[in-house]
Amino acid sequence: MFLTKKRNANETLILPLLPLRDIVVFPYVIAPLFVGRKKSTKALLFAMKTNKLVFLSTQTKTDIESPNKADINVKGTVGKILQMVKLPDGTMKTLIEGMYRATIVQFIENDAIFEVEIKPANIAEIDKQKAVAFNRTMLDKFQAYANKNKSIPRDLVKNISSIVNPSQLADTISAHFPFKLKDKKELLTLFDPEERIEKLVQKMAAETDIFEMEKKIKGQTQKQIDENQRNYYLKEQMRAIQKEMGTDPDNSRDEEFKDLKKRLKRKRMSKEAVGKARQEIKKLKMMQTMSPEATVIRNYIEWLIDLPWFNKSKTRLNVDQSEKILNEDHYALEKPKERILEYLAVLSLVKRVRGPILCLVGPPGVGKTSLAKSVARATNREFVRLSLGGVRDEAEIRGHRRTYIGAMPGKIIQSLKKVKVNNPVFCLDEVDKMSMDFRGDPSSALLEVLDPEQNSTFNDHYLDVDYDLSDIMFITTANTLHDIPLPLQDRMEIIRLSGYTEHEKLHIATDYLIPRQIKQNGLEDGIINFAQDILLSMIRNYTQESGVRSLERQIAAICRKIAREYVSKTPEEKKAFRVTINEDLLNTYLGPYQYRYGQIESKDHIGLVTGLAWTQYGGELLYIETVIMSGKGKLQITGKLGEVMKESAQAAHSYVRSRTEMLGLENDFYEKYDIHLHVPEGAIPKDGPSAGITMCTSIISALLQKTVKREIGMTGEITLRGRVLPIGGLKEKILAANRGGIQTIVLPEENKKDLQDIPDIILEKIELKWVSHMDDVLKIALDIEPKAMNKKRVHLK
């Protein structure tokens, strides 16, 4: 058996404390220490006068000059002073032997020295057979490391091999193995010998693997250095051979410099860019050809010379011709077209105007990007499109600095080099989809690009010279405005593109989508015939969108299926092949209806009200239903609603309670009944204040047990006093109501000003009811007047 000398578990000692900074003293190990702190030297002198014992504990932080109780590890080693010498500078050199582990019980107040009461560790016994196994494992691991690391003395390995006590062997190896300070601290604090030995073996194995890996990396690095030296030597020999043969590489280099100077002389550039290019050419001359820096400078000079500093495409200034082109490419979209034509008219008068910054905001599929392309065609400019969706790196806009390996200019400068003119139509697509991370904020980098007052001196990080972007016509596109930072919005002219009406979709499908898909699918004109009622059925039953992207996909699907039938025909059959799409063929090609058109209910219901909602994809119908149950007055709101919408429901509930007498309800109805308000399609998040009057109508309908007229849709924000406040997205909501078969829409009075954007063909089909108070809404939807209701009490069942 191996056991450290047994001590009474309750035995304690009072010893002077010697805090150690960057060393750990283990039992069975003799360690030289240099002590310079006053309290520590006094502690050594005190120990020499008594029993020569001191308690050694490593500080928790090595940089603390004057440690207190919190800075001392409570576990340490009791050591015996073997020798002590005072050096001329006042420092004490002492030789201390580690005796056994102990734990601090308490700190004893003493201004002169650190003094602690300690309790020696009671070390458990180790089985003899297990001890042999432990010893062999530790010695094998230490020997394996010593064989790889030649800095470990051979004599040390030989001396350690003679130790029989496994606990002593573990402490001796821990003291001499090149562990980090925190690892040695951990090993000292493990009082259980078996646990300590297992941890020591794990750490030795890990350190051996790390040492092998470091050695391998160093070897590879050295090999790479040797390879580079060899290549350099061979290249110098080749240069010498080429000189002897009369093909001096320096001559070809001179030709390169002559070519660069000639191109620089011919190129029209800004004064700053010319000066920079000449400076870089001089720097390049003084460098070795094979220098990595030379390649970087050469690429930089190439970029400066290749950029279109003053190259412009000749702009078309004929307003009538441009209007004709815009109308050829797009149906409707009057506001954007009008703004483009205004710009061209001004340009034709003043010859020089700063490029406008337009932002087209609207749902997907309404033609924002294709409109930007049409603007380029109408103005006879080159077209550049840059998608900003998912861009997180500021360098995508402003470029990388030349200090980085593989540095390049930003996408703005790269695109201008590609089109070779500095006045294109530049479409920055999906500007609302940018995000930021540790690589910077690209939306902030766009501030300079899109500011007419600053972009004449745009500074790309790679070029490091000013470049004029003021002749570029920037057009940005976005689905939602609130995702674009306000400073960026301030620099742009916002033009909203709302969804298309059914009439507009029919026109677009007939004049644009069908001819394009017939051509793209290799069919001839006249082979396919779409009747208007079939197109209308496709719009209503196979798409549910504000734009026409899904509609074009359905038309393309039909064209592909017909193309497959067409190629299987004989030449004679192909001549007579014609297809007229009817309802049966529509179901065959596209399958059953994908959407339900005309979603208003077949009859009136109690507590079910149709609201109108705005989404980034256009307008939608929003159904709100309420039921009343016996309970304790709880208001339950479900349907994955946002905070604002929940607050609207609570405001509607409070309004109803405040109008108890006016509505003829029992005074204590809210204490006896639970109200459950639900918005279906719970998987879809919903938020915003505009469902306030819809929720209030639904609650009152359920309380009064009166049905709501199914042909009525409504939208408006409600206050606690019943005032109806204006809402946004009016056009999209009215279009959604028209699609869904709503005949009457209840709207806030203050939204009358927004009617100018809504087509007359839609307004003719829908009756608009303007309201300013909730009482007006109830009169329209439920055919009741709250002021007259107080004469009659409604008793809930």
Side-chain angles (χ1 to χ4, degrees), residues 313-323 325 343-345 347-348 374-381 423:
S313 52
K314 192 173 181 181
T315 307
R316 181 185 289 117
L317 301 178
N318 190 319
V319 178
D320 294 334
Q321 191 177 354
S322 297
E323 184 177 10
I325 291 171
Y343 166 72
L344 293 176
L347 188 62
S348 65
S374 295
V375 169
R377 193 165 82 89
T379 56
N380 195 36
R381 295 183 182 219
N423 66 335

PDB file of all heavy atoms in Angstrom, residues 313-323 325 343-345 347-348 374-381 423:
ATOM      1  N   SER A 313     -22.694  57.295 -72.510  1.00  0.00           N
ATOM      2  CA  SER A 313     -23.561  56.912 -73.626  1.00  0.00           C
ATOM      3  C   SER A 313     -24.451  58.106 -73.944  1.00  0.00           C
ATOM      4  O   SER A 313     -24.855  58.845 -73.043  1.00  0.00           O
ATOM      5  CB  SER A 313     -24.407  55.687 -73.253  1.00  0.00           C
ATOM      6  OG  SER A 313     -25.080  55.911 -72.031  1.00  0.00           O
ATOM      7  N   LYS A 314     -24.753  58.286 -75.219  1.00  0.00           N
ATOM      8  CA  LYS A 314     -25.541  59.437 -75.645  1.00  0.00           C
ATOM      9  C   LYS A 314     -26.992  59.235 -75.221  1.00  0.00           C
ATOM     10  O   LYS A 314     -27.654  58.296 -75.642  1.00  0.00           O
ATOM     11  CB  LYS A 314     -25.443  59.608 -77.157  1.00  0.00           C
ATOM     12  CG  LYS A 314     -25.986  60.936 -77.640  1.00  0.00           C
ATOM     13  CD  LYS A 314     -25.715  61.136 -79.112  1.00  0.00           C
ATOM     14  CE  LYS A 314     -26.254  62.489 -79.567  1.00  0.00           C
ATOM     15  NZ  LYS A 314     -26.035  62.701 -81.016  1.00  0.00           N
ATOM     16  N   THR A 315     -27.480  60.126 -74.364  1.00  0.00           N
ATOM     17  CA  THR A 315     -28.816  59.975 -73.796  1.00  0.00           C
ATOM     18  C   THR A 315     -29.884  60.427 -74.782  1.00  0.00           C
ATOM     19  O   THR A 315     -29.718  61.441 -75.468  1.00  0.00           O
ATOM     20  CB  THR A 315     -28.934  60.808 -72.505  1.00  0.00           C
ATOM     21  OG1 THR A 315     -27.880  60.464 -71.626  1.00  0.00           O
ATOM     22  CG2 THR A 315     -30.258  60.531 -71.809  1.00  0.00           C
ATOM     23  N   ARG A 316     -30.976  59.638 -74.850  1.00  0.00           N
ATOM     24  CA  ARG A 316     -32.105  60.035 -75.695  1.00  0.00           C
ATOM     25  C   ARG A 316     -32.905  61.092 -74.958  1.00  0.00           C
ATOM     26  O   ARG A 316     -33.337  60.887 -73.826  1.00  0.00           O
ATOM     27  CB  ARG A 316     -32.989  58.824 -76.000  1.00  0.00           C
ATOM     28  CG  ARG A 316     -34.186  59.185 -76.917  1.00  0.00           C
ATOM     29  CD  ARG A 316     -35.122  57.993 -77.121  1.00  0.00           C
ATOM     30  NE  ARG A 316     -34.497  56.986 -77.955  1.00  0.00           N
ATOM     31  CZ  ARG A 316     -34.207  55.756 -77.554  1.00  0.00           C
ATOM     32  NH1 ARG A 316     -34.468  55.394 -76.312  1.00  0.00           N
ATOM     33  NH2 ARG A 316     -33.653  54.885 -78.371  1.00  0.00           N
ATOM     34  N   LEU A 317     -33.139  62.242 -75.583  1.00  0.00           N
ATOM     35  CA  LEU A 317     -33.840  63.351 -74.948  1.00  0.00           C
ATOM     36  C   LEU A 317     -35.231  63.581 -75.540  1.00  0.00           C
ATOM     37  O   LEU A 317     -35.888  64.559 -75.205  1.00  0.00           O
ATOM     38  CB  LEU A 317     -33.017  64.635 -75.067  1.00  0.00           C
ATOM     39  CG  LEU A 317     -31.612  64.580 -74.433  1.00  0.00           C
ATOM     40  CD1 LEU A 317     -30.877  65.893 -74.653  1.00  0.00           C
ATOM     41  CD2 LEU A 317     -31.713  64.280 -72.951  1.00  0.00           C
ATOM     42  N   ASN A 318     -35.674  62.689 -76.431  1.00  0.00           N
ATOM     43  CA  ASN A 318     -36.992  62.816 -77.039  1.00  0.00           C
ATOM     44  C   ASN A 318     -38.043  62.253 -76.080  1.00  0.00           C
ATOM     45  O   ASN A 318     -38.149  61.041 -75.885  1.00  0.00           O
ATOM     46  CB  ASN A 318     -37.019  62.057 -78.370  1.00  0.00           C
ATOM     47  CG  ASN A 318     -38.287  62.350 -79.155  1.00  0.00           C
ATOM     48  OD1 ASN A 318     -39.373  62.423 -78.584  1.00  0.00           O
ATOM     49  ND2 ASN A 318     -38.138  62.511 -80.465  1.00  0.00           N
ATOM     50  N   VAL A 319     -38.814  63.154 -75.473  1.00  0.00           N
ATOM     51  CA  VAL A 319     -39.776  62.747 -74.443  1.00  0.00           C
ATOM     52  C   VAL A 319     -40.882  61.877 -75.032  1.00  0.00           C
ATOM     53  O   VAL A 319     -41.279  60.867 -74.438  1.00  0.00           O
ATOM     54  CB  VAL A 319     -40.375  63.988 -73.749  1.00  0.00           C
ATOM     55  CG1 VAL A 319     -41.424  63.582 -72.714  1.00  0.00           C
ATOM     56  CG2 VAL A 319     -39.276  64.796 -73.069  1.00  0.00           C
ATOM     57  N   ASP A 320     -41.392  62.229 -76.209  1.00  0.00           N
ATOM     58  CA  ASP A 320     -42.490  61.470 -76.822  1.00  0.00           C
ATOM     59  C   ASP A 320     -42.055  60.048 -77.157  1.00  0.00           C
ATOM     60  O   ASP A 320     -42.791  59.087 -76.922  1.00  0.00           O
ATOM     61  CB  ASP A 320     -42.983  62.182 -78.090  1.00  0.00           C
ATOM     62  CG  ASP A 320     -43.620  63.528 -77.764  1.00  0.00           C
ATOM     63  OD1 ASP A 320     -44.116  63.669 -76.628  1.00  0.00           O
ATOM     64  OD2 ASP A 320     -43.615  64.421 -78.627  1.00  0.00           O
ATOM     65  N   GLN A 321     -40.849  59.925 -77.705  1.00  0.00           N
ATOM     66  CA  GLN A 321     -40.352  58.589 -78.067  1.00  0.00           C
ATOM     67  C   GLN A 321     -40.111  57.736 -76.809  1.00  0.00           C
ATOM     68  O   GLN A 321     -40.404  56.542 -76.778  1.00  0.00           O
ATOM     69  CB  GLN A 321     -39.062  58.719 -78.871  1.00  0.00           C
ATOM     70  CG  GLN A 321     -38.621  57.408 -79.516  1.00  0.00           C
ATOM     71  CD  GLN A 321     -37.375  57.589 -80.370  1.00  0.00           C
ATOM     72  OE1 GLN A 321     -36.909  58.707 -80.568  1.00  0.00           O
ATOM     73  NE2 GLN A 321     -36.844  56.472 -80.878  1.00  0.00           N
ATOM     74  N   SER A 322     -39.573  58.385 -75.764  1.00  0.00           N
ATOM     75  CA  SER A 322     -39.343  57.666 -74.505  1.00  0.00           C
ATOM     76  C   SER A 322     -40.663  57.201 -73.883  1.00  0.00           C
ATOM     77  O   SER A 322     -40.759  56.084 -73.365  1.00  0.00           O
ATOM     78  CB  SER A 322     -38.604  58.575 -73.513  1.00  0.00           C
ATOM     79  OG  SER A 322     -37.338  58.925 -74.003  1.00  0.00           O
ATOM     80  N   GLU A 323     -41.691  58.062 -73.961  1.00  0.00           N
ATOM     81  CA  GLU A 323     -43.002  57.684 -73.425  1.00  0.00           C
ATOM     82  C   GLU A 323     -43.570  56.486 -74.192  1.00  0.00           C
ATOM     83  O   GLU A 323     -44.147  55.568 -73.590  1.00  0.00           O
ATOM     84  CB  GLU A 323     -43.957  58.876 -73.530  1.00  0.00           C
ATOM     85  CG  GLU A 323     -45.317  58.606 -72.904  1.00  0.00           C
ATOM     86  CD  GLU A 323     -46.221  59.826 -72.951  1.00  0.00           C
ATOM     87  OE1 GLU A 323     -45.865  60.806 -73.641  1.00  0.00           O
ATOM     88  OE2 GLU A 323     -47.275  59.786 -72.288  1.00  0.00           O
ATOM     89  N   ILE A 325     -41.862  54.097 -75.650  1.00  0.00           N
ATOM     90  CA  ILE A 325     -41.117  52.895 -75.252  1.00  0.00           C
ATOM     91  C   ILE A 325     -41.593  52.396 -73.883  1.00  0.00           C
ATOM     92  O   ILE A 325     -41.787  51.191 -73.675  1.00  0.00           O
ATOM     93  CB  ILE A 325     -39.604  53.186 -75.238  1.00  0.00           C
ATOM     94  CG1 ILE A 325     -39.099  53.404 -76.666  1.00  0.00           C
ATOM     95  CG2 ILE A 325     -38.828  52.040 -74.575  1.00  0.00           C
ATOM     96  CD1 ILE A 325     -37.672  53.899 -76.757  1.00  0.00           C
ATOM     97  N   TYR A 343     -37.977  63.967 -65.742  1.00  0.00           N
ATOM     98  CA  TYR A 343     -36.515  64.045 -65.696  1.00  0.00           C
ATOM     99  C   TYR A 343     -35.939  64.291 -67.087  1.00  0.00           C
ATOM    100  O   TYR A 343     -35.051  65.137 -67.276  1.00  0.00           O
ATOM    101  CB  TYR A 343     -35.960  62.746 -65.106  1.00  0.00           C
ATOM    102  CG  TYR A 343     -34.475  62.568 -65.322  1.00  0.00           C
ATOM    103  CD1 TYR A 343     -33.549  63.327 -64.623  1.00  0.00           C
ATOM    104  CD2 TYR A 343     -34.004  61.651 -66.246  1.00  0.00           C
ATOM    105  CE1 TYR A 343     -32.193  63.173 -64.826  1.00  0.00           C
ATOM    106  CE2 TYR A 343     -32.646  61.482 -66.464  1.00  0.00           C
ATOM    107  CZ  TYR A 343     -31.744  62.245 -65.746  1.00  0.00           C
ATOM    108  OH  TYR A 343     -30.402  62.088 -65.965  1.00  0.00           O
ATOM    109  N   LEU A 344     -36.467  63.568 -68.095  1.00  0.00           N
ATOM    110  CA  LEU A 344     -35.963  63.737 -69.467  1.00  0.00           C
ATOM    111  C   LEU A 344     -36.279  65.121 -70.002  1.00  0.00           C
ATOM    112  O   LEU A 344     -35.473  65.727 -70.722  1.00  0.00           O
ATOM    113  CB  LEU A 344     -36.576  62.664 -70.377  1.00  0.00           C
ATOM    114  CG  LEU A 344     -36.138  61.224 -70.101  1.00  0.00           C
ATOM    115  CD1 LEU A 344     -36.880  60.265 -71.007  1.00  0.00           C
ATOM    116  CD2 LEU A 344     -34.640  61.082 -70.313  1.00  0.00           C
ATOM    117  N   ALA A 345     -37.455  65.641 -69.650  1.00  0.00           N
ATOM    118  CA  ALA A 345     -37.824  66.986 -70.109  1.00  0.00           C
ATOM    119  C   ALA A 345     -36.873  68.026 -69.543  1.00  0.00           C
ATOM    120  O   ALA A 345     -36.400  68.930 -70.267  1.00  0.00           O
ATOM    121  CB  ALA A 345     -39.264  67.293 -69.687  1.00  0.00           C
ATOM    122  N   LEU A 347     -33.811  67.476 -68.481  1.00  0.00           N
ATOM    123  CA  LEU A 347     -32.487  67.229 -69.055  1.00  0.00           C
ATOM    124  C   LEU A 347     -32.363  67.832 -70.448  1.00  0.00           C
ATOM    125  O   LEU A 347     -31.312  68.362 -70.829  1.00  0.00           O
ATOM    126  CB  LEU A 347     -32.211  65.723 -69.101  1.00  0.00           C
ATOM    127  CG  LEU A 347     -30.808  65.285 -69.504  1.00  0.00           C
ATOM    128  CD1 LEU A 347     -29.777  65.799 -68.502  1.00  0.00           C
ATOM    129  CD2 LEU A 347     -30.715  63.766 -69.581  1.00  0.00           C
ATOM    130  N   SER A 348     -33.435  67.777 -71.211  1.00  0.00           N
ATOM    131  CA  SER A 348     -33.389  68.345 -72.566  1.00  0.00           C
ATOM    132  C   SER A 348     -33.277  69.870 -72.541  1.00  0.00           C
ATOM    133  O   SER A 348     -32.798  70.480 -73.486  1.00  0.00           O
ATOM    134  CB  SER A 348     -34.646  67.933 -73.350  1.00  0.00           C
ATOM    135  OG  SER A 348     -35.795  68.514 -72.752  1.00  0.00           O
ATOM    136  N   SER A 374     -36.641  49.131 -68.509  1.00  0.00           N
ATOM    137  CA  SER A 374     -37.317  49.905 -69.561  1.00  0.00           C
ATOM    138  C   SER A 374     -36.876  51.365 -69.558  1.00  0.00           C
ATOM    139  O   SER A 374     -36.795  51.994 -70.613  1.00  0.00           O
ATOM    140  CB  SER A 374     -38.836  49.832 -69.357  1.00  0.00           C
ATOM    141  OG  SER A 374     -39.293  48.526 -69.524  1.00  0.00           O
ATOM    142  N   VAL A 375     -36.591  51.894 -68.364  1.00  0.00           N
ATOM    143  CA  VAL A 375     -36.090  53.270 -68.269  1.00  0.00           C
ATOM    144  C   VAL A 375     -34.761  53.391 -69.010  1.00  0.00           C
ATOM    145  O   VAL A 375     -34.509  54.375 -69.719  1.00  0.00           O
ATOM    146  CB  VAL A 375     -35.940  53.680 -66.784  1.00  0.00           C
ATOM    147  CG1 VAL A 375     -35.177  54.991 -66.664  1.00  0.00           C
ATOM    148  CG2 VAL A 375     -37.295  53.799 -66.122  1.00  0.00           C
ATOM    149  N   ALA A 376     -33.895  52.384 -68.858  1.00  0.00           N
ATOM    150  CA  ALA A 376     -32.609  52.396 -69.566  1.00  0.00           C
ATOM    151  C   ALA A 376     -32.836  52.390 -71.077  1.00  0.00           C
ATOM    152  O   ALA A 376     -32.170  53.108 -71.827  1.00  0.00           O
ATOM    153  CB  ALA A 376     -31.775  51.193 -69.133  1.00  0.00           C
ATOM    154  N   ARG A 377     -33.780  51.587 -71.539  1.00  0.00           N
ATOM    155  CA  ARG A 377     -34.070  51.525 -72.986  1.00  0.00           C
ATOM    156  C   ARG A 377     -34.675  52.837 -73.466  1.00  0.00           C
ATOM    157  O   ARG A 377     -34.340  53.323 -74.559  1.00  0.00           O
ATOM    158  CB  ARG A 377     -35.025  50.359 -73.254  1.00  0.00           C
ATOM    159  CG  ARG A 377     -35.146  50.004 -74.725  1.00  0.00           C
ATOM    160  CD  ARG A 377     -35.794  48.641 -74.890  1.00  0.00           C
ATOM    161  NE  ARG A 377     -37.230  48.679 -74.806  1.00  0.00           N
ATOM    162  CZ  ARG A 377     -38.035  48.877 -75.859  1.00  0.00           C
ATOM    163  NH1 ARG A 377     -37.513  49.067 -77.065  1.00  0.00           N
ATOM    164  NH2 ARG A 377     -39.329  48.888 -75.708  1.00  0.00           N
ATOM    165  N   ALA A 378     -35.550  53.420 -72.644  1.00  0.00           N
ATOM    166  CA  ALA A 378     -36.201  54.670 -73.044  1.00  0.00           C
ATOM    167  C   ALA A 378     -35.220  55.832 -73.102  1.00  0.00           C
ATOM    168  O   ALA A 378     -35.362  56.738 -73.923  1.00  0.00           O
ATOM    169  CB  ALA A 378     -37.340  54.986 -72.079  1.00  0.00           C
ATOM    170  N   THR A 379     -34.226  55.827 -72.230  1.00  0.00           N
ATOM    171  CA  THR A 379     -33.254  56.928 -72.191  1.00  0.00           C
ATOM    172  C   THR A 379     -31.987  56.621 -72.982  1.00  0.00           C
ATOM    173  O   THR A 379     -31.060  57.419 -72.996  1.00  0.00           O
ATOM    174  CB  THR A 379     -32.869  57.227 -70.728  1.00  0.00           C
ATOM    175  OG1 THR A 379     -32.372  56.028 -70.126  1.00  0.00           O
ATOM    176  CG2 THR A 379     -34.056  57.741 -69.936  1.00  0.00           C
ATOM    177  N   ASN A 380     -31.949  55.432 -73.619  1.00  0.00           N
ATOM    178  CA  ASN A 380     -30.788  55.005 -74.424  1.00  0.00           C
ATOM    179  C   ASN A 380     -29.511  54.914 -73.580  1.00  0.00           C
ATOM    180  O   ASN A 380     -28.431  55.297 -74.005  1.00  0.00           O
ATOM    181  CB  ASN A 380     -30.571  55.968 -75.601  1.00  0.00           C
ATOM    182  CG  ASN A 380     -29.639  55.368 -76.640  1.00  0.00           C
ATOM    183  OD1 ASN A 380     -29.670  54.161 -76.888  1.00  0.00           O
ATOM    184  ND2 ASN A 380     -28.779  56.196 -77.221  1.00  0.00           N
ATOM    185  N   ARG A 381     -29.647  54.381 -72.353  1.00  0.00           N
ATOM    186  CA  ARG A 381     -28.490  54.210 -71.473  1.00  0.00           C
ATOM    187  C   ARG A 381     -28.214  52.726 -71.278  1.00  0.00           C
ATOM    188  O   ARG A 381     -29.080  51.881 -71.503  1.00  0.00           O
ATOM    189  CB  ARG A 381     -28.757  54.838 -70.103  1.00  0.00           C
ATOM    190  CG  ARG A 381     -28.937  56.349 -70.103  1.00  0.00           C
ATOM    191  CD  ARG A 381     -29.124  56.833 -68.694  1.00  0.00           C
ATOM    192  NE  ARG A 381     -29.354  58.271 -68.618  1.00  0.00           N
ATOM    193  CZ  ARG A 381     -28.840  59.045 -67.678  1.00  0.00           C
ATOM    194  NH1 ARG A 381     -28.060  58.539 -66.753  1.00  0.00           N
ATOM    195  NH2 ARG A 381     -29.101  60.326 -67.638  1.00  0.00           N
ATOM    196  N   ASN A 423     -22.593  56.804 -67.032  1.00  0.00           N
ATOM    197  CA  ASN A 423     -23.952  57.342 -66.853  1.00  0.00           C
ATOM    198  C   ASN A 423     -25.022  56.293 -67.148  1.00  0.00           C
ATOM    199  O   ASN A 423     -25.996  56.568 -67.852  1.00  0.00           O
ATOM    200  CB  ASN A 423     -24.153  58.578 -67.736  1.00  0.00           C
ATOM    201  CG  ASN A 423     -24.121  58.238 -69.220  1.00  0.00           C
ATOM    202  OD1 ASN A 423     -23.526  57.239 -69.629  1.00  0.00           O
ATOM    203  ND2 ASN A 423     -24.766  59.058 -70.030  1.00  0.00           N
TER     204      ASN A 423
END
